[in-house]
Amino acid sequence: MRVRRLAAWTALPLAVTLGLAACGSGGDGGSGSSDPNAAVSIQIGEPQHLVPTNTTETSGSQVLAGLFSPLVDYDAQNKPYEVAAESVTSPDNKVWTIKLKDGFTFHNGEKVTSEDYINAWNYGAYAPNGQGGAYFFEKIAGYQDLQGEKPKAQTMSGLKKVDDLTFTVTLSEPYIDFKTMLGYNAFFPLPDAAFSAPGVLKDSYEQAPIGQGPFKMKGTWQHDSKIDVERYDAYPGEKPKVKGVEFRVYQQLSAAYADVLGDNLDVLPTIPTESLSNAPTDLGDRYQTSPMSSFQFLAFPTFDKAYSNPDVRKAISMAIDRDEITKSVFKGSQDPARSFVSPVLPGYRENTAGAAGQFNPTEAKKLYQAAGGPSKIVISYNGDGGHKDWVDATANQLKANLGVEVVGSAEPKFADLLTKVEKKQPVGVFRMGWVMDYPTMEDYLGPLYSTNGSSNYYGYSNPEFDRLVKEGSAAKTQDEAIAKYQQAEDILAKDMPVIPLRFGENVFGHSSKVKNVEMDLFQRVNLVKIEAAS
């Protein structure tokens, strides 16, 4: 089971595209002159990986957004449109033909061909390679033959080269959103230079990834310090307006915030919680907000007897005053969540959690006592993500409203928390966050709650839920798919494996040295729009 678009920071970072039309902009909106020979700096956390099929967290994906160009991006209505692809078509949602645009080259000069996609996807899907994004290929015919300790095959039968710029993808069953899915970074190509032998990635590749995007690596990955990229002049798409980008690694958002205030850092994608009150005054028009797709929630270890009763989980949810925490801690920069999918998506409905999503301390305490809830609740969270304030506020509410002991427990890093959960070590209730991989309801349902979902860390399983998500994926029309997904979401409201807390917004800041700073729904800086003010 692998983590996908989970995020560690407070408001959650991430995306796979270079930028959406639905975004906010900063600075002077483009007035005045700019310096195309200047570089800009952007805060990130230390990436886990920089191989496309193994990059499943937000900071690494921000870097890859500069190094690679996706097959498709998304318009203002979240509909996919072709970028590196010339066309993506299917007569039946099962057999897809992908034609590539001519003229793309890798940063080492290699021409991008259909084989570069086929080789990269096979590498990502082959289980012994241990790629975190392998889940994305499971819909392709032959994927199962690449699984297990001793796979039957090394390549998926569903991938076939037609010519240098065309290949077909046959799925094991129809999937209506496959074209939309192709915007995710697991579907980037890899050059021949990435491999030491067929299917064997060079150990050195990750330290200086070779892509086909608007920027190329400048030097190598300086771990826990920075990653430098520079403009790739042979890129055939929209040209960047800066010479380079320094992705600067910070251990604490507070330090990055101080650097933005002092004009020593150009873009901070997430304003730290403790600075939200002062940021509008501190930054003036350099303080910006825009829509995004993040979803913050508390998850239950459903395999733990203390939390196996849905009534216990519902009672805890009812004892949390989301509106108060959103107002007092987040200063209105996030929205209370009472549904399981983001409002940015087609198919979103308000208050799908029903009564369990409404603050009702009296009924919560009655239900909790009747269901035999535990006498002590531990809320685990990652200490490097700026979560302490809201966790403490939540713990105080639960303590007061349920009459039990409640404590917050910080793990040093998000990865440490996930490792404990995977091993089913005691963590109590635990904090999770999600940013969509691609804009469909399925992306909020399948990976998080399906029995074998890639990010189902809570052991939740409901065969009816699994069936409805599967039927939605195989639907012939978007309306039919949404209807099935909504039925699946209704089951979550009954079982309550997680507590929806907040939907996020991009809340970001930048220095006086840059303009046209845009953030997309995945909370990534648009690297081809940003400009350096001269």
Side-chain angles (χ1 to χ4, degrees), residues 40-44 62 245-248 265 267 269 525 527:
V40 299
S41 56
I42 298 174
Q43 175 272 329
I44 62 169
Q62 172 71 82
V245 179
E246 176 191 343
F247 297 104
R248 195 178 298 169
L265 172 70
V267 184
V525 179
L527 300 177

Side-chain angles (χ1 to χ4, degrees), residues 116-128:
D116 298 319
Y117 286 89
I118 292 172
N119 292 338
W121 297 7
N122 280 324
Y123 174 82
Y126 188 61

Side-chain angles (χ1 to χ4, degrees), residues 123-150:
Y123 174 82
Y126 188 61
N129 292 331
Q131 298 296 283
Y135 168 92
F136 286 89
F137 305 106
E138 71 171 7
K139 299 181 188 300
I140 299 175
Y143 171 84
Q144 292 301 328
D145 291 339
L146 277 64
Q147 304 311 297
E149 294 183 5
K150 296 181 178 180

Side-chain angles (χ1 to χ4, degrees), residues 99-111:
K99 294 184 178 181
L100 305 176
K101 288 180 179 174
D102 200 359
F104 276 84
T105 58
F106 288 104
H107 301 148
N108 64 346
E110 288 183 36
K111 180 180 175 64

